[in-house]
Amino acid sequence: MTIDISQLTLEQKASLLSGRDFWSTKEIAEAGVASVVLTDGPHGIRRQAGDADHLGIHDSLPSTCFPPAVAIGSSWDRDLARTVGGAVGEEGVAFGVSVVLGPGVNIKRSPLCGRNFEYYSEDPHLSGVLGAAHVTGLQAAGPGASVKHFAVNNQETERMRVSADVDERTLREVYLPAFERVVIDAAPSTVMCSYNKINGVYASRDRWLLTDVLRGDWGFGGAVVSDWGAVSDRVDSVRAGMDLEMPGGDGSTDAQIVAAVREGRLDEALVDASVRRVLELTMLPHEATGQLDVEGHHAVARRAAAESIVLLKNDGVLPLPTGSRIAVVGAFATQPRYQGGGSSHINPTRVDVALDEIRALAHAQGSTVIAEPGFSLDADEDPAWGAAAVSAAGAADVAVVFAGLSDREESEGFDRTTLTLPDAQVGLIRAVAATGTPTVVVLSNGGVVSLEGWHDEVAGIVEAWLLGQAGGGAIADVLFGVVNPSGHLAETIPLRLEDNPSWLSFPGEQGHVRYSEGIFVGYRYYSTAGVAVRYPFGHGLSYTTFGTDGMEAVVTGDDTVTVTATVSNRGEVAGKHVVQVYVATTAGPVRRPLRELRAFEKVALEPGESRQVELRMDRRAFAYWDIEQGGWVVAAGEYTVQVCADASTVLAEQTVTLVGDSLVRELTMESTVGDWFGHPVVGPALMAGLASAMTPEQALQAEQNPDGLKMVESMPMQQFLVFTNGAIPVEVLEQLLELSKTPAPVV
Ligand code: BGC
């Protein structure tokens, strides 16, 4: 039913622009406006029936806890992200939730960000593709999504007021594209604006962000919702395009909107536009069906978890051999950490415990299991536990140590200060490995942890992230080879925290965090600067081996390139391979990273099977954000398309030449001599003119001193003329200025 907003009073309209309570919008029964529920999200439904909070303190109704984004990011599987989104959407319908808050597509700028478990990757392409797939799946099931936190919310420290100071090229190339892709490809019902400021302006009051970029550049047609409590000036935020303030308050901000309109400080048309967008949300399904597929969704959660595990290291110890004595040590084996703390905290329908699942699979394989806690998560350490664990490991054929981070070490609301595991755990890993029993470490963590100090001493490392409620079963599946691991790192594991490009400026000071590394985030920095890492972005092992042959890159249209390659499974077991395509170039006037991920595809292959894959990259894959043009530009030149095993390992490559964009680069008297000579149209004309005006002596001198121009290259033309007493006649300059208006390729 369409609601005629001319029938609503100004007070009624303003009332629709803030919530009724913590999780719902206001109803206007006489006008047929329904109240709808918006709730977290993203990896399950957090529907609170009693006391409400956004810190994960009070309980919510049981629902399936699917793997959080840190896991799905490592799956590199858009179909999986869509399936999980769909299952979350179905549960939203069961609970009568109209908008599920999420997914979060912020970039992991620093491995220390306490909320990295809720984000996909350090790479915008991977984040955007998976985020869009999640939204597509979720919305197909009925509810709307709320892609968050828009924008540049990359830390928890001072998240509610810090100013993220970022240059525009970096915003456009790194921090905004994941949102852009979700908006364009998946049309989410809502976008949630973040708490922080961007270059001094609160996101909730940033008209450039919420209207010019989001609606103007990307065509977003949905509503902008505030993060809970993110509105600092309601009238200003309406002007910016921030439609729905959450949570609900005492109505005072609605009154501020009414007063501002009455006093002529706020255009009523802006209020109407926001009201129309909020009314669209009331058209989403909001009757609770109560139908929850508990078993089916637990199975989805287990499959998703298994697909997301990353096998980092394997000296042949995995999969675990049949008929062996297995020592399982570490508290996480019995006390799973499977989700992060804070607003996304789900009350699971049930939880798989890794030790139980290991026992079940071991039994089926004729293996035996002995378990020891080794360390404690809640109480003071008992030294006897460590000794018992080491002795159990010493008597076993293989030891599996469950290590990781607890809710105390990472959560929404604060950032970590170190990458290292707690000392007791590092000590235990080393002591177990020192027994000489081949040792596998299984990690449970929402953000990257350092592997230094013990990496070389163990035979295998399984990065199990936070895997949702079925994670315990998924870990057992991978350890025993029931599932062949196929996850790949969505973020780099550095050797040292200090190597991370944001290290010097994270989390900022005196109210500002300066994104001083610019576009060189994560692997874009490590690979370009040649900084060694423990495991690069994209790394992930399998129990089989894959081949990549016959790679070809062909320009198939207006600066679009199609890549084909034949991938094959050369081993004995079925597996999934991720084809990672990066683009490397030095074309154009701006500094580019060594390579950037531009396309990927996960392919399932039976033993011995080969398959041709085709990936298409449009012009954006080759473009940079040009601050002079205020737009995306493809420079003319060579682009090397690389199929890689990870961000550091090229498997096959081919160079293509792109025509690029023809643009007007108008010269002024402030342009430097270098700009004039380097201009694609003016430069050659200038050279020709100079050559013809030279005496033979001057020509000889110029030939003998080819670097002569260097000294004056960065001198603006007007100064150059002063110093040279008008070396170029005014009428010639005028002609050349006119000539500079001719469109030409950017080089
Ligand atoms: C978080 C959001 C969340 C909201 C509602 C905020 O504090 O930043 O991600 O959706 O609370 O719980």
Side-chain angles (χ1 to χ4, degrees):
M1 168 182 135
T2 325
I3 292 161
D4 177 5
I5 70 162
S6 67
Q7 303 301 308
L8 301 177
T9 64
L10 178 59
E11 282 75 6
Q12 284 176 321
K13 288 190 289 189
S15 77
L16 291 174
L17 301 189
S18 72
R20 173 173 71 185
D21 50 32
F22 221 87
W23 301 121
S24 61
T25 61
K26 295 194 195 89
E27 178 187 27
I28 306 179
E30 61 275 27
V33 179
S35 162
V36 294
V37 169
L38 305 86
T39 199
D40 293 298
H43 53 270
I45 301 295
R46 184 166 173 264
R47 181 76 179 109
Q48 292 187 311
D51 289 340
D53 71 288
H54 62 303
L55 300 170
I57 299 166
H58 299 297
D59 249 352
S60 50
L61 300 169
S63 67
T64 310
C65 178
F66 294 95
V70 60
I72 301 299
S74 304
S75 76
W76 291 61
D77 189 336
R78 54 166 74 72
D79 295 337
L80 187 77
R82 194 182 306 119
T83 302
V84 169
V88 172
E90 285 168 20
E91 299 207 2
V93 173
F95 288 107
V97 173
S98 298
V99 177
V100 184
L101 307 176
V105 298
N106 295 95
I107 294 298
K108 302 189 198 212
R109 173 179 181 240
S110 164
L112 297 177
C113 173
R115 221 172 169 181
N116 273 358
F117 72 89
E118 251 189 273
Y119 302 139
Y120 292 106
S121 176
E122 68 187 25
D123 179 82
H125 181 74
L126 185 56
S127 304
V129 169
L130 296 176
H134 179 98
V135 171
T136 302
L138 180 103
Q139 297 201 147
S146 194
V147 60
K148 63 190 189 181
H149 307 91
F150 191 55
V152 211
N153 176 188
N154 311 99
Q155 64 187 54
E156 293 299 283
T157 308
E158 301 265 11
R159 68 167 163 157
M160 297 198 177
R161 60 172 195 173
V162 75
S163 174
D165 297 341
V166 200
D167 67 273
E168 188 170 0
R169 181 178 167 216
T170 301
L171 282 173
R172 296 284 191 164
E173 292 191 19
V174 177
Y175 293 99
L176 298 183
F179 290 97
E180 180 181 5
R181 182 173 290 276
V182 176
V183 164
I184 292 173
D185 290 1
S189 299
T190 73
V191 166
M192 183 192 291
C193 75
S194 57
Y195 290 118
N196 54 285
K197 301 178 193 121
I198 300 161
N199 296 321
V201 181
Y202 277 109
S204 64
R205 292 162 64 177
D206 193 338
R207 189 170 166 84
W208 172 80
L209 183 74
L210 303 184
T211 296
D212 300 351
V213 173
L214 180 63
R215 297 196 165 100
D217 293 354
W218 305 343
F220 177 61
V224 175
V225 179
S226 74
D227 199 342
W228 267 231
V231 175
S232 53
D233 181 322
R234 187 59 186 115
V235 173
D236 213 22
S237 69
V238 175
R239 285 191 202 109
M242 211 302 293
D243 305 310
L244 176 62
E245 180 190 7
M246 289 301 290
D250 56 4
S252 57
T253 53
D254 304 346
Q256 288 165 11
I257 293 174
V258 171
V261 171
R262 295 251 154 82
E263 290 160 20
R265 289 182 287 115
L266 178 64
D267 185 352
E268 192 167 351
L270 292 177
V271 174
D272 289 352
S274 283
V275 169
R276 280 196 195 92
R277 296 192 284 249
V278 171
L279 285 174
E280 282 293 312
L281 303 181
T282 66
M283 304 297 150
L284 291 164
H286 46 264
E287 298 300 337
T289 63
Q291 283 160 12
L292 205 61
D293 180 5
V294 174
E295 288 309 313
H297 284 181
H298 187 77
V300 171
R302 180 166 179 154
R303 182 167 75 80
E307 297 281 327
S308 305
I309 290 171
V310 185
L311 180 60
L312 293 175
K313 175 177 181 175
N314 186 13
D315 289 351
V317 65
L318 292 174
L320 295 173
T322 52
S324 52
R325 290 168 301 164
I326 306 166
V328 175
V329 304
F332 293 102
T334 49
Q335 292 170 262
R337 177 143 186 270
Y338 56 93
Q339 64 176 327
S343 58
S344 66
H345 200 271
I346 302 299
N347 179 13
T349 56
R350 68 177 213 236
V351 178
D352 284 357
V353 174
L355 180 60
D356 299 343
E357 303 293 329
I358 289 173
R359 282 195 202 281
L361 289 182
H363 182 72
Q365 292 200 351
S367 294
T368 56
V369 175
I370 170 162
E372 286 292 340
F375 60 89
S376 157
L377 292 179
D378 334 290
D380 289 340
E381 298 301 325
D382 180 344
W385 286 9
V390 173
S391 120
D397 300 316
V398 58
V400 183
V401 183
F402 280 80
L405 300 177
S406 70
D407 272 335
R408 278 199 312 280
E409 276 107 24
E410 61 177 359
S411 165
E412 177 177 344
F414 63 89
D415 296 315
R416 286 186 294 161
T417 53
T418 170
L419 294 184
T420 49
L421 288 171
D423 290 348
Q425 297 186 34
V426 173
L428 180 71
I429 294 170
R430 300 195 65 194
V432 167
T435 62
T437 299
T439 302
V440 177
V441 175
V442 177
L443 293 169
S444 300
N445 49 308
V448 155
V449 294
S450 171
L451 314 181
E452 303 318 302
W454 53 269
H455 173 274
D456 295 350
E457 292 160 36
V458 300
I461 306 177
V462 175
E463 178 49 273
W465 306 118
L466 305 181
L467 290 174
Q469 68 179 47
I475 291 168
D477 287 343
V478 164
L479 290 176
F480 286 94
V482 176
V483 171
N484 188 354
S486 61
H488 289 257
L489 289 177
E491 54 198 301
T492 311
I493 303 183
L495 284 171
R496 306 178 318 149
L497 174 60
E498 296 87 327
D499 294 337
N500 180 266
S502 73
W503 183 65
L504 284 172
S505 59
F506 180 94
E509 54 216 6
Q510 301 194 318
H512 291 263
V513 49
R514 211 158 53 83
Y515 284 39
S516 51
E517 71 284 2
I519 60 160
F520 294 93
V521 175
Y523 73 86
R524 283 170 165 74
Y525 166 73
Y526 297 117
S527 59
T528 309
V531 174
V533 298
R534 173 51 70 188
Y535 287 115
F537 172 86
H539 169 75
L541 303 175
S542 164
Y543 296 149
T544 185
T545 49
F546 299 103
T548 302
D549 298 291
M551 180 245 175
E552 253 192 310
V554 181
V555 181
T556 39
D558 186 14
D559 295 337
T560 59
V561 171
T562 302
V563 187
T564 49
T566 302
V567 290
S568 48
N569 181 348
R570 296 184 176 155
E572 307 288 305
V573 290
K576 289 185 180 170
H577 177 59
V578 176
V579 181
Q580 304 176 28
V581 179
Y582 296 75
V583 173
T585 188
T586 53
V590 296
R591 185 82 187 256
R592 313 287 282 255
L594 184 70
R595 62 179 63 91
E596 296 181 271
L597 181 76
R598 296 305 195 199
F600 66 91
E601 194 67 59
K602 196 167 191 176
V603 194
L605 294 164
E606 292 300 318
E609 185 184 351
S610 293
R611 188 147 0 133
Q612 200 188 51
V613 289
E614 186 179 289
L615 298 97
R616 194 173 161 278
M617 293 182 286
D618 62 17
R619 62 188 310 280
R620 248 314 265 287
F622 307 96
Y624 68 93
W625 181 265
D626 189 305
I627 56 167
E628 288 174 4
Q629 300 286 328
W632 295 103
V633 171
V634 177
E638 297 198 330
Y639 293 78
T640 303
V641 179
Q642 303 175 321
V643 177
C644 296
D646 54 52
S648 305
T649 318
V650 179
L651 299 170
E653 63 181 17
Q654 196 176 321
T655 300
V656 296
T657 304
L658 298 183
V659 179
D661 292 316
S662 272
L663 297 173
V664 172
R665 299 232 147 193
E666 208 175 324
L667 294 170
T668 66
M669 294 305 282
E670 216 191 309
S671 307
T672 64
V673 172
D675 292 339
W676 281 70
F677 278 94
H679 192 280
V681 185
V682 173
L686 199 52
M687 288 299 279
L690 277 183
S692 65
M694 275 187 211
T695 62
E697 293 77 39
Q698 285 170 325
L700 185 66
Q701 220 181 353
E703 208 180 294
Q704 285 168 348
N705 183 14
D707 287 343
L709 205 59
K710 252 192 181 160
M711 282 183 60
V712 291
E713 232 169 39
S714 54
M715 199 180 274
M717 183 53 92
Q718 63 203 11
Q719 270 91 348
F720 176 74
L721 292 179
V722 172
F723 294 135
T724 56
N725 241 335
I728 307 173
V730 177
E731 56 285 5
V732 174
L733 280 172
E734 276 166 3
Q735 280 167 18
L736 293 174
L737 283 171
E738 204 45 43
L739 199 60
S740 77
K741 295 178 187 164
T742 323
V746 182
V747 285

